[in-house]
């Protein structure tokens, strides 16, 4: 199958995407549901290429693997775990079994416990919430709280993740210890960055006259450790090992989201995710949005060799989405061996990066438009914003979003560039000046457009990208749900901490590390 796709890429040669456009392409190369539209017409995928990509997905067993995931089979094979973050948003679906046991009663009971606790907090004196976590315990909730800020009617939520003391110091400096709730998010309650910050927050609260015994909650499965820390069981919300960290905001890790927008709002968010789950399981072929989003990604990265993809939300409140997707995609599919332990025959996932428009236009779009590397761009924009009195702002935002994808598609040739400056220059100088104004064009992009960034829509968007990761992982033959690549650095950091504090440098350390330690000891107070 890969050979077929490579052959199609070779046949494509320098073909311009514009050559593919006819009256039907805009609709034929788009997926539209009741709630959003995904446009991939501005890519060099034609009917034959799309057919080969769909055949690749079928050959990789995507439908069977999808059924296995939703039914609770242990598709995380290196850790012998099910992958059931989808169960956390299965509000009115059927039973989901793991090892013969329906997990849904416990999922729904935990959701009810969260709701009762959230209502209690929201009705009391708490003005601020500090969520202490890292990775999936931070990026998802932080991104979602910002995205859903128009719906916040509860306490202000703040997020601390970095072990750098500057992070927690800057957050706590502006807060009142007597009216702040601290949430410690760590499944094992041993994550060194999180627990270091949690101890600092507890000391701060005691110094400020707060009461950690009533103003701390934990999102963890280690009740013995949370009890030792002083957090009673009624304020501990656990989740099973079949919920991966970067997929966990749908359950207890999303408590900060629920505190911000309320239990009803949180359920609307879950229902958006559930709607995308249903679409992913039922829509066929070219009508399946997560499948087509993934196949576009496979075409650009594994077939054409484009090493990065830019995520460009034209929505200020989705400003943290690129960082969230960095973890979701790069930690999931940043692997070099397949399920069988053998090296991958193709490249693994791309580098994911981006920033909200229009800010990025005045930063890195220069490279996207005129740089030597092709960077597939993924635009997203809402038809309407929340600021009714600033509609002209949103109209300008949309115009910029659509213009950027059009500019990437069309470009500007030398003749047009000459015409732009012919009244100012002539001869060799005209040629030189015109050359600087040429845009190659023929650069691919997709656009995800939706009515408004509301609770339900955000749930759909996040689930859409989760399923994209799943499909790409199945096609690559990798396990998207482990993350062994984070272990080595953590182990070495633990071993180095005593050295930083003054212990002898082990003899096995390389010369660079030894020299850096020596420099630190010269200047470190």
């Amino acid at each position: 199958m890969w050979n077929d796709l490579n052959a199609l890429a070779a046949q494509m040669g320098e073909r311009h995407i514009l050559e593919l456009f006819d009256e039907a392409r805009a609709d034929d190369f788009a997926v539209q549901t009741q709630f959003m539209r995904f446009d991939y017409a501005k890519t060099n995928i034609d009917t034959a290429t799309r057919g080969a990509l769909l055949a690749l997905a079928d050959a990789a067993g995507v439908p069977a693997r999808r059924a296995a995931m939703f039914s609770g089979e242990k598709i995380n094979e290196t850790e012998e775990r099910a992958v059931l973050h989808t169960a956390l948003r299965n509000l009115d679906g059927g039973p989901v079994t793991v090892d013969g046991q329906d997990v849904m009663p416990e999922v729904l009971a935990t959701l009810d416990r969260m709701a009762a606790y959230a209502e209690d907090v929201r009705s009391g004196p708490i003005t601020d919430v500090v969520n202490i976590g890292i990775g999936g315990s931070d990026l998802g909730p932080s991104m979602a709280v910002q995205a859903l800020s128009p719906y916040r009617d509860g306490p202000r939520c703040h997020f601390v993740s970095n072990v750098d003391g500057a992070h927690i110091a800057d957050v706590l400096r502006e807060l009142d210890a007597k009216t702040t709730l601290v949430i410690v998010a760590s499944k094992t309650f041993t994550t060194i960055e999180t627990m270091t910050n949690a101890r600092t927050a507890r000391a701060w609260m005691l110094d400020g006259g707060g009461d950690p015994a009533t103003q701390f909650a934990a999102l963890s499965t280690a009740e013995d450790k949370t009890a030792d820390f002083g957090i009673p069981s009624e304020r501990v919300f656990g989740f099973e090992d079949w919920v991966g960290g970067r997929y966990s905001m749908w359950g207890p890790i999303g408590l900060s989201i629920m505190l911000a927008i309320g239990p009803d709002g949180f359920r609307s968010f879950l229902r958006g995710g559930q709607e995308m789950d249903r679409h992913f399981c039922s829509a066929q072929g070219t009508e399946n949005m997560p499948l087509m989003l993934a196949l576009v990604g496979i075409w650009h990265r594994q077939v054409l060799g484009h090493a990065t993809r830019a995520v460009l939300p034209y929505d200020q409140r989705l400003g943290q989405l690129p960082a969230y997707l960095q973890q979701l995609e790069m930690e999931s599919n940043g692997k070099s061996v397949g399920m069988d332990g053998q090296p991958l025959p193709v490249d693994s996932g791309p580098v994911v990066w981006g920033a909200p428009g229009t800010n990025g236009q005045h930063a890195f779009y220069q490279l996207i438009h005129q740089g030597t590397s092709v960077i597939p761009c993924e635009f997203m924009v809402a038809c309407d914003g929340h600021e009714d009195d600033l509609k002209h702002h949103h109209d300008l935002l949309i115009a910029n979003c659509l213009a950027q994808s059009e500019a990437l598609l069309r470009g500007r040739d030398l003749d047009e560039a000459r015409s732009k400056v012919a009244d100012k220059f002539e001869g060799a100088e005209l040629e030189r000046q015109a050359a600087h104004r040429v845009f190659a064009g023929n650069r691919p992009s997709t656009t995800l457009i939706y009515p408004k960034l509301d609770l339900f829509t955000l749930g759909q968007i996040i689930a859409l990208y989760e399923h994209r990761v799943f499909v790409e992982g199945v096609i690559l033959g990798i396990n998207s749900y482990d993350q062994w690549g984070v272990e080595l650095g953590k182990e070495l950091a633990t071993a180095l901490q005593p050295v930083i504090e003054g212990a002898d440098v082990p003899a096995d350390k390389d010369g660079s590390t030894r020299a850096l330690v020596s420099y630190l000891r010269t200047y470190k107070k």
Side-chain angles (χ1 to χ4, degrees):
M1 295 294 179
W2 291 113
N3 289 337
D4 293 341
L5 285 163
N6 290 332
L8 287 167
Q11 293 171 18
M12 180 182 75
E14 298 300 317
R15 180 182 66 191
H16 203 289
I17 299 169
L18 279 171
E19 297 175 27
L20 299 174
F21 272 84
D22 56 23
E23 292 184 359
R25 181 170 176 83
D27 286 330
D28 287 349
F29 287 77
V31 184
Q32 185 164 323
T33 69
Q34 180 183 352
F35 306 103
M36 59 178 60
R37 178 182 178 95
F38 169 61
D39 178 293
Y40 61 100
K42 295 187 181 78
T43 71
N44 227 314
I45 295 174
D46 58 17
T47 302
T49 301
R50 184 170 62 185
L53 287 165
L54 289 165
L56 177 68
D58 285 341
V62 168
R65 197 73 172 172
R66 177 182 61 201
M69 178 176 72
F70 276 91
S71 67
E73 293 185 30
K74 295 180 180 179
I75 67 168
N76 178 352
E77 296 177 8
T78 58
E79 296 179 308
E80 283 297 305
R81 295 175 181 174
V83 176
L84 277 178
H85 49 279
T86 54
L88 300 178
R89 53 194 188 231
N90 182 35
L91 295 184
D92 45 17
V96 180
T97 58
V98 177
D99 294 328
Q101 182 175 354
D102 182 10
V103 303
M104 287 311 304
E106 181 61 26
V107 167
L108 297 176
T110 298
L111 182 62
D112 288 342
R113 281 187 62 226
M114 290 170 58
Y117 179 68
E119 290 288 21
D120 183 55
V121 171
R122 284 161 53 87
S123 65
I126 295 297
T127 59
D128 294 89
V129 173
V130 177
N131 185 93
I132 298 177
I134 198 166
S137 299
D138 169 80
L139 284 165
S142 178
M143 178 273 295
V145 166
Q146 178 182 341
L148 299 176
S149 60
Y151 301 92
R152 183 182 73 81
D153 58 1
R156 295 181 296 267
C157 291
H158 315 269
F159 296 85
V160 173
S161 55
N162 200 334
V163 76
D164 185 339
H167 197 181
I168 193 164
D170 286 349
V171 169
L172 298 182
R173 183 178 296 116
E174 305 299 324
L175 305 183
D176 183 346
K178 298 184 183 69
T179 60
T180 297
L181 172 71
V182 175
I183 300 173
V184 184
S186 171
K187 183 182 288 188
T188 63
F189 227 64
T190 60
T191 309
I192 188 167
E193 299 95 337
T194 299
M195 298 316 300
T196 300
N197 282 322
R199 288 187 287 270
T200 297
R202 182 172 59 183
W204 165 82
M205 186 171 285
L206 286 168
D207 289 345
D211 181 12
T214 60
Q215 290 173 241
F216 265 68
L219 313 177
S220 176
T221 57
E223 287 200 23
D224 55 338
K225 293 183 174 63
T226 58
D228 290 343
F229 195 85
I231 303 175
S233 59
E234 63 267 22
R235 294 201 305 279
V236 177
F237 302 89
F239 48 101
E240 299 296 334
D241 65 3
W242 35 257
V243 180
R246 56 193 175 276
Y247 298 88
S248 60
M249 79 173 85
W250 309 100
I253 292 296
L255 180 61
S256 57
I257 309 172
M258 183 184 282
L259 288 166
I261 64 175
D264 289 343
F266 190 73
R267 285 190 172 90
S268 294
F269 168 68
L270 297 183
R271 289 192 183 281
Q274 182 184 41
E275 177 63 32
M276 185 55 66
D277 292 344
R278 289 172 170 169
H279 168 80
F280 180 47
C281 289
S282 62
Q284 299 299 308
T286 59
E287 299 303 313
N288 191 302
M289 192 176 291
L291 176 63
M292 295 313 303
L293 178 63
L295 293 180
V296 171
I298 290 287
W299 171 249
H300 287 151
R301 175 63 181 125
Q302 280 74 33
V303 183
L304 299 184
H306 302 317
T308 80
R309 67 170 62 125
V311 178
L312 308 170
Y314 274 67
D315 193 315
Q316 180 64 22
R317 294 189 175 102
L318 287 178
Q320 294 187 52
L321 183 66
Y324 168 75
L325 293 179
Q326 279 180 346
Q327 189 202 24
L328 179 67
E329 300 196 29
M330 294 170 69
E331 193 168 85
S332 294
N333 290 345
K335 313 292 172 60
S336 58
V337 297
M339 287 283 202
D340 57 3
Q342 298 302 307
L344 293 181
V346 295
D347 289 322
S348 60
V351 175
V352 178
W353 61 284
T358 57
N359 293 21
Q361 293 175 200
H362 296 268
F364 52 79
Y365 277 46
Q366 168 65 47
L367 184 143
I368 289 177
H369 282 289
Q370 290 187 312
T372 56
S373 297
V374 173
I375 300 171
C377 294
E378 299 184 355
F379 296 95
M380 55 182 68
V381 69
C383 298
D384 282 311
H386 291 274
E387 290 66 41
D388 291 340
D389 57 335
L390 297 173
K391 286 187 178 295
H392 61 293
H393 280 255
H394 199 74
D395 289 346
L396 182 57
L397 183 75
I398 296 172
N400 272 273
C401 180
L402 300 187
Q404 289 297 324
S405 66
E406 183 181 8
L408 287 167
L409 172 68
R410 292 184 176 279
R412 177 189 290 162
D413 63 22
L414 185 58
D415 286 340
E416 187 178 357
R418 282 195 199 97
S419 70
K420 293 289 183 181
V421 292
D423 60 334
K424 298 177 181 178
F425 307 102
E426 59 183 21
E429 183 61 14
L430 173 60
E431 295 304 304
R432 186 177 78 86
Q433 291 286 345
H436 287 284
R437 291 161 172 78
V438 170
F439 290 70
N442 202 30
R443 300 201 167 188
S445 70
T446 63
T447 301
L448 182 70
I449 189 167
Y450 40 89
K452 180 181 281 192
L453 185 64
D454 58 18
L455 303 158
F456 187 82
T457 298
L458 182 67
Q460 289 187 92
I461 291 172
I462 296 169
L464 169 65
Y465 275 88
E466 287 179 348
H467 294 321
R468 185 235 200 115
V469 167
F470 166 81
V471 173
E472 290 186 354
V474 172
I475 290 174
L476 294 173
I478 62 179
N479 181 4
S480 298
Y481 302 102
D482 61 13
Q483 54 279 331
W484 301 110
V486 306
E487 297 298 321
L488 179 58
K490 289 165 63 175
E491 293 170 8
L492 292 175
T494 300
L496 271 171
Q497 185 174 354
V499 174
I500 304 304
E501 294 171 348
D504 292 341
V505 182
D508 64 348
K509 291 302 175 187
D510 61 87
S512 171
T513 300
R514 296 175 71 86
L516 291 168
V517 170
S518 177
Y519 183 88
L520 282 167
R521 289 180 176 175
T522 301
Y523 292 98
K524 188 174 184 291
K525 295 179 181 179

